[in-house]
Amino acid sequence: MLPCGHHGIHSVAALCTLRVTVITDDMLTNSITVRLENMSQEKFLSPLLSRFVEGVATVLSTTKDAVFVFNIQNDTDVSSNILNVTFSALLPGGVRDKFFPSEDLQEQIYLNRTLLTAVSTQRVLPFDDNICLREPCENYMKCVSVLKFDSSAPFISSPTVLFRPIHPVNGLRCRCPPGFTGDYCETEIDLCYSSPCGAHGRCRSREGGYTCECQEDFTGPSPALSLLSEGSGSFPNVLGR
């Protein structure tokens, strides 16, 4: 109980709850941003923030304490009152520090928007993810939008809540296939570098893998280990991985 002020013989007191959340890179990477229609920052904080968290927890079958809202920002790309709310959530079942991957989180929220709207009393709009529309990832790999920490924003207040958001910046992550690396999967890895075919095989690189060409009298998945018995004949053996 924190005393807020005194006036003569009268005193006024208020119960304040302080909740501090440390925003980690893992939380940012596994977060999503939803768009709420006809919503302002002040209106969202009181009293809809708790309803929104309850709705997300219901959709994900997790607890309210496992949902972390860390950014509330007006959408600057549209003229109407759309509020962007960014959050992440822990997986249910007591798995320590394991968050819903952003793709799974977005899918769950999108498929259950009707339920989220009913519980939170806020209309959730379809996702607006433009950063991957230009298909920046090479070799046809999937582009996933991610957030990175930028700065802490000024406090946002309502009659009952004082909220300090952070301002993340949009980024992207490419999921590279075997044999490729780099920010955009643009670099091909030489999978023959470690001589996987052994001393009696020739390694030839191909897209996403390599092929072993065995020397005469050798065969098997590891050419150096499988020697044909003498006099049984010889043939080249080509193996692909």
Side-chain angles (χ1 to χ4, degrees), residues 54 87 118 157 177 184 208:
E54 181 182 355
F87 66 93
S157 63
Y184 304 101

Side-chain angles (χ1 to χ4, degrees), residues 77-99:
D77 296 331
V78 295
S79 57
S80 58
N81 294 326
I82 293 179
L83 188 68
N84 291 331
V85 179
T86 306
F87 66 93
S88 58
L90 291 169
L91 289 166
V95 182
R96 182 177 177 84
D97 297 333
K98 288 291 185 180
F99 292 90

Side-chain angles (χ1 to χ4, degrees), residues 12-156:
V12 178
L15 181 63
C16 303
T17 301
L18 177 64
R19 181 176 180 180
V20 179
T21 302
V22 178
I23 308 302
T24 64
D25 288 337
D26 199 23
M27 293 173 66
L28 287 170
T29 301
N30 294 290
S31 65
I32 63 170
T33 300
V34 297
R35 305 162 67 232
L36 304 181
E37 187 180 42
N38 295 324
M39 187 61 56
S40 65
Q41 293 176 331
E42 183 177 346
K43 182 180 178 181
F44 178 78
L45 290 178
S46 297
L48 298 179
L49 172 59
S50 59
R51 293 181 183 175
F52 177 81
V53 171
E54 181 182 355
V56 171
T58 301
V59 167
L60 301 178
S61 299
T62 189
T63 64
K64 294 171 60 176
D65 291 338
V67 179
F68 305 97
V69 176
F70 54 82
N71 189 38
I72 302 169
Q73 193 171 3
N74 293 322
D75 195 319
T76 59
D77 296 331
V78 295
S79 57
S80 58
N81 294 326
I82 293 179
L83 188 68
N84 291 331
V85 179
T86 306
F87 66 93
S88 58
L90 291 169
L91 289 166
V95 182
R96 182 177 177 84
D97 297 333
K98 288 291 185 180
F99 292 90
F100 278 92
S102 57
E103 304 97 302
D104 296 345
L105 193 57
Q106 181 167 317
E107 180 180 11
Q108 289 292 327
I109 295 299
Y110 181 80
L111 293 177
N112 295 281
R113 280 190 299 141
T114 302
L115 175 60
L116 179 57
T117 298
V119 176
S120 67
T121 66
Q122 300 157 80
R123 183 166 184 264
V124 181
L125 299 175
F127 288 94
D128 183 19
D129 185 6
N130 293 318
I131 196 168
C132 288
L133 290 181
R134 55 186 176 88
E135 297 183 355
C137 299
E138 298 183 15
N139 301 305
Y140 306 102
M141 284 301 100
K142 184 177 181 180
C143 172
V144 181
S145 64
V146 295
L147 295 179
K148 297 180 181 180
F149 178 78
D150 181 32
S151 62
S152 295
F155 282 98
I156 303 172

Side-chain angles (χ1 to χ4, degrees), residues 154-165:
F155 282 98
I156 303 172
S157 63
S158 71
T160 58
V161 177
L162 185 64
F163 184 84
R164 178 82 181 269

Side-chain angles (χ1 to χ4, degrees), residues 2-8 10-14:
L2 300 177
C4 294
H6 298 274
H7 185 265
H10 302 286
S11 64
V12 178

